[in-house]
Amino acid sequence: MKTWDVVIVGAGAAGLFCAGVAGLRGLKVLVIDHSDKIAEKIRISGGGRCNFTNRLLDASAPQKHFISQNPHFCRSALSRYTPQDF
Ligand SMILES: Cc1cc2nc3c(=O)[nH]c(=O)nc-3n(C[C@H](O)[C@H](O)[C@H](O)COP(=O)(O)OP(=O)(O)OC[C@H]3O[C@@H](n4cnc5c(N)ncnc54)[C@H](O)[C@@H]3O)c2cc1C
């Protein structure tokens, strides 16, 4: 019988990212999805550009690229975790 350290239900952005991090930490990971096509929302997000991974994003001022009542909301997170990190 196979055993796993981590079982993730859902191969979307969150599940796949979690699986990648767990794998990098040396854990045996199983990802389960009920769909034939996994990561479908990643494929269509941002009209195929997926704005969080936009290589043209100015990492020193990411708030320029996001519409929000508080444009600095994303600055801290995106300054510490750039598209290159992703
Ligand atoms: C048209 C569109 C455009 C978007 N544009 C952007 C954008 O420009 N920028 C941005 O940041 N975000 C965008 N998003 C949002 C982004 O795609 C989502 O926030 C992100 O994909 C959510 O990831 P998730 O892993 O939480 O969920 P999901 O991507 O929904 O993944 C969940 C997974 O779990 C599986 N699942 C669900 N229930 C079960 C079950 N019971 N058993 C097994 N598997 C199951 C599903 O099949 C799916 O694969 C967009 C979304 C859409 C729909």
Side-chain angles (χ1 to χ4, degrees), residues 16-57:
L16 291 175
F17 197 90
C18 185
V21 171
L24 285 172
R25 292 181 181 181
L27 299 173
K28 278 178 67 179
V29 182
L30 175 67
V31 181
I32 299 170
D33 201 293
H34 64 176
S35 172
D36 292 337
K37 289 177 107 181
I38 64 163
E40 188 64 3
K41 280 193 197 169
I42 297 172
R43 193 183 65 74
I44 62 175
S45 71
R49 295 188 308 271
C50 199
N51 58 14
F52 273 92
T53 57
N54 189 333
R55 285 174 293 157
L56 301 178
L57 188 142

Side-chain angles (χ1 to χ4, degrees), residues 1-9 19 22-23 26-32:
M1 187 178 83
K2 286 189 175 177
T3 58
W4 311 94
D5 300 311
V6 181
V7 177
I8 295 169
V9 179
L27 299 173
K28 278 178 67 179
V29 182
L30 175 67
V31 181
I32 299 170

Side-chain angles (χ1 to χ4, degrees), residues 43-85:
R43 193 183 65 74
I44 62 175
S45 71
R49 295 188 308 271
C50 199
N51 58 14
F52 273 92
T53 57
N54 189 333
R55 285 174 293 157
L56 301 178
L57 188 142
D58 180 356
S60 65
Q63 74 280 3
K64 288 194 306 191
H65 305 277
F66 295 91
I67 299 167
S68 168
Q69 288 185 330
N70 177 5
H72 294 281
F73 178 76
C74 64
R75 184 179 183 153
S76 171
L78 292 179
S79 294
R80 284 179 291 162
Y81 197 81
T82 68
Q84 286 71 30
D85 294 324

